[in-house]
Amino acid sequence: MYFIYILRSLRNNKRYTGLTQKDPEIRLKEHNSGSNNYSRNNRPFVLLYSEKFSSFEQAQKRERFLKTGKGRRFLDRIIPP
């Protein structure tokens, strides 16, 4: 299984969109532990939204969409900024 997930930084209120094979809650813990420079500098994060996919290609296509202008507007409607 593959997941796309949306996090919000409590430090700067920005959204982060990612793709993983791990459970989104586990990935959230990794981000909050400062697993990379972006995470370290913008933590803590909260999980806002996730979707599950059976194939990597489907998940990657959805992640790319959510990072477009249309995708960000979709997220604004379902997850108020």
Side-chain angles (χ1 to χ4, degrees):
M1 293 272 103
Y2 297 88
F3 299 89
I4 59 98
Y5 59 96
I6 311 297
L7 306 178
R8 179 169 314 279
S9 167
L10 297 178
R11 173 174 275 177
N12 61 21
N13 208 35
K14 289 186 179 182
R15 282 191 305 230
Y16 175 88
T17 303
L19 181 139
T20 186
Q21 279 188 289
K22 300 176 183 179
D23 182 276
E25 290 290 339
I26 292 170
R27 194 67 186 105
L28 171 65
K29 288 177 186 176
E30 291 175 353
H31 280 285
N32 281 329
S33 71
S35 61
N36 63 44
N37 281 336
Y38 180 82
S39 294
R40 195 172 306 114
N41 295 326
N42 294 286
R43 63 185 168 181
F45 293 93
V46 292
L47 180 64
L48 299 177
Y49 181 76
S50 67
E51 293 180 8
K52 189 178 189 180
F53 297 89
S54 56
S55 78
F56 176 76
E57 292 77 18
Q58 290 174 322
Q60 188 177 43
K61 185 176 179 181
R62 183 66 168 169
E63 179 193 27
R64 285 183 183 152
F65 167 74
L66 292 174
K67 290 181 176 182
T68 66
K70 266 183 131 171
R72 286 191 299 271
R73 285 190 296 276
F74 165 77
L75 290 173
D76 287 343
R77 283 194 309 271
I78 64 167
I79 308 165

